[in-house]
Amino acid sequence: MNFDLTDDHLTVKNLIQKFAKSEIEPTIKEYERKKEFPRGLIKQMGEYGFFGACFPEKYGGSELGFVNLAIICEEVSKACPGLGYAFNMQAMTCPFTILNWGTEEQIEKYVPSLISAESIGMFALTEAGGGSDPAGSMKTTAKRVGDEYLINGSKTFITFANEADVGILFAKTDTAAGHRGISAFIIETNQPGFEAIPIEMSGLGYMVRSCDVFLEDVRIPKENLLGKEGEGFKIAMNALDYGRLTVPARLIGIAQGCLEQSLMYANERVVKSHRIGEYQMIQHLLADMVVSIEAGRLLVYKSAYLKDKGQSATRESSHSKYFASEIATKAAQSAFEIFGGYAVTDEYPILKYLNYANMLHTGEGSANVQRILIAEDALGWKDANRHHISRKYSLKSDLQ
Ligand SMILES: Cc1cc2nc3c(=O)[nH]c(=O)nc-3n(C[C@H](O)[C@H](O)[C@H](O)COP(=O)(O)OP(=O)(O)OC[C@H]3O[C@@H](n4cnc5c(N)ncnc54)[C@H](O)[C@@H]3O)c2cc1C
């Protein structure tokens, strides 16, 4: 057993830290002040290969693997938690799902431009009836008419939808078949009848731009069906399984950011002639952060390591999503306490870290839902493995 990062991992970590200092930190406040989508920054990240870490070279990827992707996600999210969303749209949930389930034509047409961030992606699953029950709440329909599908319905919380060029959309091709009636489509957003309206989320600093999406007689050619009719639920669960690698890594980045800020502040802030870091109750908060982040990071690396070996990490990703959600929200709460009143000022990123930690606690399968799956799996209930879906693509086998 070896817990060390390799020289390659450390080189990647170092490079991303430099990128965060020189490119993200100086520009992100200006994007936020102007409420502008950071397309330029995302494009730069795409050109540098941030999103292509787990994609084969023949589609423009760098084949760096999942551990490196986790490292990249952590460092970017520490610098700007909102930018972390780009890893779902430009890497895991959107293009990786096309890579896993698409035809060669679909992969060649969409994957290279998404991972280079030439085009912006989205993943449209959630509807107003409840994200924790995507199949039960889905009202959006896809009706086959000749060589096309006609899409009608609406989605909510769809990140980047108003900026997206292309994305994956889930709709019911058979409304009587429950989750087996859901199909997945690749949708180009320039189609008539597609409208995306950003939801106001000022607490998150305007980076996320999650949208309400309205679909009225949107036409999708039959060639853009992803997988087979009725496979949509399987595809969605498989996509979220991969998303559960990046989201915990992003949560660790947020927690690490809280820790670094808190250490700096506890060393500087003097109250009653003592640096607050000398007070035992502050030290308890710091010690808990140090240990829980270390443990959370190891869980993230374990699931990434398994994926790099070409193995399933469904169980481990669930563990790391649940644990990282809990420790990141706790770290952000502790940082809030350490900073006192200054936590809410724009001078420090504490309030933003807290908001993102709380929000990611819910995203990609809420912590509660993960708890249910973890307990059912531990109890040995077969149904708990319903997310355990084999995939046709394995990075390891592709590299061999
Ligand atoms: C900023 C942001 C970005 C997002 N981006 C996307 C995106 O790009 N694409 C997309 O498709 N969706 C996206 N989502 C939606 C996200 O996936 C959902 O918010 C999430 O699935 C939870 O759904 P919900 O908000 O409807 O909560 P609900 O499903 O209504 O759940 C509410 C609460 O009840 C709890 N709960 C639910 N069921 C149970 C149970 N059985 N036992 C115990 N507790 C339970 C949940 O844990 C949660 O705490 C985004 C959401 C946000 C906030």
Side-chain angles (χ1 to χ4, degrees):
M1 193 177 283
N2 183 355
F3 289 100
D4 294 331
L5 292 179
T6 63
D7 286 348
D8 284 352
H9 294 141
L10 290 170
T11 304
V12 168
K13 195 173 176 76
N14 200 352
L15 281 173
I16 308 301
Q17 282 174 343
K18 281 192 184 142
F19 180 86
K21 274 257 159 315
S22 65
E23 309 298 326
I24 301 178
E25 286 171 18
T27 55
I28 209 70
K29 278 202 169 141
E30 192 56 11
Y31 278 118
E32 289 189 345
R33 198 186 58 75
K34 292 191 200 152
K35 300 187 184 177
E36 191 183 321
F37 182 70
R39 194 177 264 259
L41 207 45
I42 292 174
K43 181 90 188 19
Q44 222 178 335
M45 288 161 65
E47 282 164 4
Y48 288 175
F50 285 26
F51 305 125
C54 299
F55 290 81
E57 273 177 13
K58 69 172 173 169
Y59 302 123
S62 57
E63 300 185 0
L64 287 168
F66 287 96
V67 173
N68 274 314
L69 180 66
I71 291 169
I72 297 169
C73 282
E74 177 182 334
E75 294 303 330
V76 169
S77 300
K78 186 174 81 179
C80 175
L83 262 186
Y85 270 91
F87 290 96
N88 289 42
M89 307 317 150
Q90 309 305 131
M92 283 294 105
T93 38
C94 185
F96 206 75
T97 307
I98 299 176
L99 185 70
N100 264 339
W101 298 88
T103 61
E104 192 55 34
E105 292 73 39
Q106 289 171 337
I107 295 171
E108 280 174 10
K109 184 167 178 193
Y110 295 109
V111 166
S113 66
L114 280 164
I115 62 177
S116 64
E118 197 64 49
S119 50
I120 295 292
M122 67 166 191
F123 181 82
L125 175 66
T126 304
E127 298 197 4
S132 304
D133 179 21
S137 65
M138 193 172 293
K139 302 258 185 298
T140 300
T141 56
K143 193 172 164 212
R144 179 81 187 255
V145 182
D147 285 345
E148 296 173 325
Y149 288 90
L150 216 53
I151 313 287
N152 280 287
S154 65
K155 299 276 167 186
T156 191
F157 284 130
I158 308 308
T159 301
F160 292 2
N162 65 325
E163 301 286 343
D165 304 289
V166 65
I168 299 174
L169 175 89
F170 296 88
K172 283 197 170 163
T173 37
D174 181 348
T175 51
H179 72 274
R180 289 195 178 81
I182 297 175
S183 300
F185 299 89
I186 302 173
I187 179 172
E188 295 187 14
T189 60
N190 58 5
Q191 293 305 306
F194 178 95
E195 191 183 14
I197 300 175
I199 302 166
E200 279 302 316
M201 298 181 179
S202 54
L204 298 183
Y206 301 102
M207 283 292 109
V208 184
R209 298 294 174 87
S210 295
C211 299
D212 285 322
V213 170
F214 301 96
L215 304 139
E216 203 182 326
D217 287 339
V218 176
R219 289 171 186 279
I220 297 185
K222 70 174 188 339
E223 295 73 34
N224 280 25
L225 176 69
L226 190 61
K228 297 194 190 93
E229 268 195 26
E231 275 191 331
F233 188 71
K234 256 207 288 190
I235 294 174
M237 293 305 110
N238 186 230
L240 295 179
D241 201 23
Y242 280 94
R244 252 173 244 138
L245 179 79
T246 53
V247 171
R250 288 161 55 196
L251 282 157
I252 297 299
I254 291 171
Q256 180 67 30
C258 291
L259 173 64
E260 288 177 15
Q261 291 285 324
S262 299
L263 291 172
M264 177 270 298
Y265 198 73
N267 258 321
E268 280 176 4
R269 178 73 170 163
V270 174
V271 177
K272 280 198 174 176
S273 311
H274 291 277
R275 290 174 300 170
I276 59 170
E278 293 174 45
Y279 295 124
Q280 208 171 43
M281 277 187 271
I282 300 289
Q283 290 182 353
H284 284 178
L285 296 175
L286 294 171
D288 287 354
M289 274 197 239
V290 169
V291 178
S292 61
I293 292 168
E294 187 66 16
R297 188 179 285 119
L298 288 176
L299 285 178
V300 170
Y301 286 169
K302 184 179 174 189
S303 58
Y305 166 79
L306 287 174
K307 290 197 178 194
D308 276 340
K309 287 208 318 176
Q311 293 178 10
S312 166
T314 299
R315 173 183 292 148
E316 290 74 13
S317 304
S318 215
H319 292 179
S320 70
K321 167 64 177 65
Y322 166 58
F323 192 72
S325 301
E326 294 291 296
I327 64 123
T329 45
K330 191 151 181 276
Q333 194 57 52
S334 299
F336 210 93
E337 200 175 323
I338 289 166
F339 273 77
Y342 290 91
V344 294
T345 65
D346 282 352
E347 200 181 340
Y348 300 105
I350 307 305
L351 184 58
K352 196 173 291 167
Y353 281 144
L354 181 66
N355 287 340
Y356 272 100
N358 278 329
M359 215 263 317
L360 289 173
H361 199 271
T362 301
E364 229 74 5
S366 73
N368 277 3
V369 171
Q370 298 316 307
R371 269 175 157 162
I372 294 169
L373 292 173
I374 292 164
E376 288 180 352
D377 179 43
L379 286 161
W381 295 356
K382 223 170 128 209
D383 198 36
N385 286 329
R386 62 187 180 274
H387 294 346
H388 187 122
I389 291 147
S390 63
R391 58 191 197 279
K392 71 170 199 202
Y393 171 75
S394 138
L395 185 69
K396 191 177 176 232
S397 58
D398 201 83
L399 292 179
Q400 279 167 348

